[in-house]
């Protein structure tokens, strides 16, 4: 089939022509579609048999030849759907309970039909309503440890890993991250935009040579350290969850990169929410309580991650069995995560792709205060990343910066 972008009026006919009629849906039932797209990049529809009492539904995700939220001036390759399909397949091998099921894959149409997580919400939105998710931190700690360990050289045979690295290069989307995360926010670039009241703070960042050197070093690690098959864009908009279950979605930026990029992206986005909570006009007790939950989640993610990673290493590593080296490796991952997390925080305020947790703050004073706090947090994370020895120090740092 030749590629054509689907629309709300054509997506049901597309599904009608697939084997999903007879598996997910009954052969003759009426289908209805909803447009759910709200991310930066793709088309997303829900197709359901909404007219019958026993409702079945699926999500249809289709790549466009450009980033949906920006337009044709920001081309992106259709083949990113095959990157995502592969990453979901690998992640499902090690963590089937934490990734959406794929029912149907059409490479020509650059689309996947997936499980509808309609009992879940996007984590970023849940956090904007101060919802606590008791299972999330443990699930993410385990997800990170398993997906990263099992795709690394610690576990994979050398030849197999090298072959995978070469097969799974994702040059166009890596370039998007190199530009949007590590480069453009720190130079003049037409894609950047920010609240004009931050200009002084941003100028300080852009003229801080030692800081810029650290960011360049992180960019170099991102570009050259093929440690494991990483998710590549693990922010709180890439997590859907409820009180019992967590699903990691959208690994289209996946490639063999530095493990700490995933950990750092996640922690950085949690920190953005931590800061933003103070600007939602909530009472101080609510803010303090929710911030405590975010801080505990950060501690739990790292603790569960490092315990599980260590245990997998001791049990399944094919060599490398040296406790001093394990300590050293985990310590390095913690420091690098802090650095990557700091860059992620800054780029979400200065670069092309902002986050709704800060953007939806209506009071301009409060918004400016939150954004300046977040910029200082990001900068400090990068600066302190060389000294960090324990996750508790990161949490103390967050408490110091966001009062
Ligand atoms: C045009 S792509 C902008 C951002 O959206 C994605 O989710 C990635 O975070 C990327 O940097
Ligand atoms: Mg995404």
């Amino acid at each position: 089939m030749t590629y054509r972008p689907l629309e709300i009026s054509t997506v049901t006919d597309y599904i009608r022509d697939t084997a999903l009629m007879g598996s997910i849906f009954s052969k003759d039932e009426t289908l209805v579609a909803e447009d759910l797209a709200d991310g930066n990049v793709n088309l997303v529809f829900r197709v359901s048999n909404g007219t019958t009492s026993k409702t079945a539904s699926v999500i249809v995700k289709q790549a466009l030849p450009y980033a949906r939220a920006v337009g044709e001036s920001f081309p992106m390759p259709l083949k990113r759907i095959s990157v995502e399909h592969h990453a979901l397949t690998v992640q499902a091998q090690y963590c089937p309970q934490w990734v959406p099921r794929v029912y149907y894959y059409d490479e020509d149409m650059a689309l996947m039909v997936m499980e509808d997580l309609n009992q879940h919400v996007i984590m970023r939105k849940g956090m904007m309503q101060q919802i606590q998710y008791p299972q999330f931190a443990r699930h993410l700690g385990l997800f990170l440890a398993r997906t990263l360990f099992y795709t690394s050289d610690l576990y994979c045979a050398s030849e197999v890993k090298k072959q995978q690295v070469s097969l799974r290069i994702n040059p166009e989307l890596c370039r998007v991250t190199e530009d949007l995360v590590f480069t453009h926010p720190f130079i003049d670039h037409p894609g950047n935009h920010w609240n004009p009241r931050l200009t002084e703070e941003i100028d300080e960042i852009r003229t801080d040579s030692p800081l810029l050197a650290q960011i360049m070093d992180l960019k170099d690690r991102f570009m050259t350290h093929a440690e494991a098959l990483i998710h590549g864009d693990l922010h709180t908009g890439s997590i859907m969850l409820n009180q019992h279950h967590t699903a990691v979605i959208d690994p289209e930026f996946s490639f063999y990169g530095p493990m700490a990029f995933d950990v750092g992206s996640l922690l950085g986005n949690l920190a953005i929410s931590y800061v933003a909570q103070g600007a939602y006009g909530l009472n101080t007790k609510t803010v303090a309580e929710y911030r405590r939950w975010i801080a505990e989640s950060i501690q739990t993610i790292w603790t569960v991650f490092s315990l599980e990673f260590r245990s997998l290493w001791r049990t399944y590593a094919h060599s490398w069995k040296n406790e001093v080296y394990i300590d050293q490796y985990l310590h390095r991952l913690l420091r690098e995560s802090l650095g990557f997390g700091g860059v992620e925080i800054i780029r979400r305020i200065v670069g092309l792709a902002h986050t709704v947790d800060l953007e939806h703050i209506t009071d301009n004073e409060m918004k400016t205060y939150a954004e300046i706090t977040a910029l200082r947090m990001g900068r400090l994370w990068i600066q302190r990343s060389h000294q960090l020895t324990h996750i508790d120090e990161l949490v103390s740092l967050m408490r110091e910066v966001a009062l």
Side-chain angles (χ1 to χ4, degrees), residues 319-333:
S319 49
W320 316 91
K321 303 233 174 157
N322 174 317
E323 291 294 318
V324 176
Y325 186 56
I326 301 179
D327 283 344
Q328 208 174 295
Y329 196 103
L330 283 167
H331 188 199
R332 175 181 63 76
L333 286 186

Side-chain angles (χ1 to χ4, degrees), residues 40-41 67 70 74 76 176 180 233 235 253 347-348 352-353:
N40 289 326
V41 183
V70 186
F74 200 106
M76 289 183 89
V176 170
L180 265 50
D233 195 25
H235 54 86
F253 283 79
R347 75 100 169 194
R348 292 297 190 180
L352 177 84

